[in-house]
Amino acid sequence: MSLNPVPPIANALEVRDVRVRLGDTEVLRGVNLQVPHGRIVAIIGPNGSGKTTLLRCLLGLQRVDAGEIRLLGQAIGPDSLRRVGYVPQRFQVDAAFSLSVREFLALRRPETRFWFWQSHRRTDDFLMETLEELGAGALLNRPLAGLSGGQLQRVLIAYSLLCRPELLLLDEPTAGVDTPGEHTFYELISTIHQRLGITVVLVSHDLGMVYRQANWVYALNGVICCEGRPEEVINAESLKAAYGIHVAPYHHHHHPGNPVHSHPVTLPAGASVPITFRPR
């Protein structure tokens, strides 16, 4: 008797009607999104729109009041989270922090976490391979506290990749990095995505980079107010809806062969944000 093969999981991430209340404010008001395997998907929106809260939900750090989240076909838990890498918005390192890059990265590996301060050839080779993939091989012996913003971000990416995750979450990863470093960083993410076939979910305010690098964009302001290809979402009408410049219901027209899924919602007014937009 032959067994039917298990069908592949269609999506790396599924968020279904997720709601989160923080104090008296409902920060997420029924968020729905899907991220297919192997895509770079960006989440944009103004400050306070719930982007970081959503990422915290994906990491199991924020309780969900209603709805469901599935990571790589599984509910959030140890089995699914070990398959996920994360690069935070900010990682503050005190000047007195004495760990080297080697020691910091070794904390990520289960076989080295209890003797991470020692140098072992096998461990060094493994760490160096990951660092060299990111163009940061010369940093292994550097103190973590002495790194520049761009160097630290490369080390944080290396940390997130050491367990070879299938899904990589990035929350404003270029905060504190200069403009040339931002360009290099996003090109690096694109290279990692292509080389490893990893799924990337990226929160970013840099709409020019989102336009060039992402396969799909979700505009979030408590709910998903618009989604589609970058060229369909990053335009004046969509950005008005996402960033709360007006409160009219938003409907995006469908284009033959390039469907955009729109959600007719009325958004609260909010402050506008600087937009950097550079066409491809």
Side-chain angles (χ1 to χ4, degrees), residues 26-181:
E26 192 175 22
V27 179
L28 301 179
R29 308 189 303 276
V31 172
N32 292 277
L33 58 85
Q34 295 181 343
V35 178
H37 284 281
R39 299 286 187 89
I40 298 181
V41 172
I43 301 173
I44 66 172
N47 292 333
S49 62
K51 302 185 301 297
T52 294
T53 298
L54 178 59
L55 282 192
R56 286 177 55 81
C57 292
L58 302 183
L59 293 165
L61 301 176
Q62 172 63 52
R63 184 177 67 87
V64 173
D65 296 317
E68 181 184 14
I69 296 173
R70 295 191 68 80
L71 299 174
L72 303 163
Q74 298 178 296
I76 294 176
D79 289 340
S80 58
L81 288 174
R82 69 169 53 100
R83 302 163 67 190
V84 177
Y86 171 59
V87 179
Q89 186 178 91
R90 287 180 177 83
F91 187 81
Q92 299 293 338
V93 181
D94 189 273
F97 194 70
S98 60
L99 288 185
S100 67
V101 170
R102 171 195 286 109
E103 293 163 345
F104 174 72
L105 293 178
L107 289 170
R108 180 66 167 155
R109 301 293 299 171
E111 67 271 21
T112 61
R113 65 178 52 155
F114 297 112
W115 40 273
F116 64 88
W117 59 89
Q118 302 177 28
S119 177
H120 292 264
R121 178 64 180 272
R122 182 178 176 186
T123 302
D124 283 2
D125 288 346
F126 184 83
L127 299 180
M128 183 60 75
E129 179 183 359
T130 303
L131 284 173
E132 286 182 341
E133 285 180 346
L134 303 176
L139 302 178
L140 190 64
N141 294 308
R142 295 275 301 276
L144 199 68
L147 301 182
S148 68
Q151 290 171 334
L152 180 58
Q153 286 306 96
R154 287 175 182 259
V155 170
L156 292 178
I157 296 174
Y159 185 89
S160 71
L161 294 177
L162 281 175
C163 291
R164 298 304 183 195
E166 299 168 53
L167 172 63
L168 182 61
L169 306 177
L170 302 106
D171 184 10
E172 291 288 355
T174 57
V177 178
D178 59 21
T179 300

Side-chain angles (χ1 to χ4, degrees), residues 200-221:
V200 177
V201 176
L202 168 70
V203 168
S204 179
H205 281 300
D206 189 333
L207 301 185
M209 289 298 177
V210 167
Y211 190 93
R212 286 200 294 272
Q213 302 293 350
N215 306 124
W216 198 260
V217 180
Y218 285 97
L220 176 67
N221 198 339

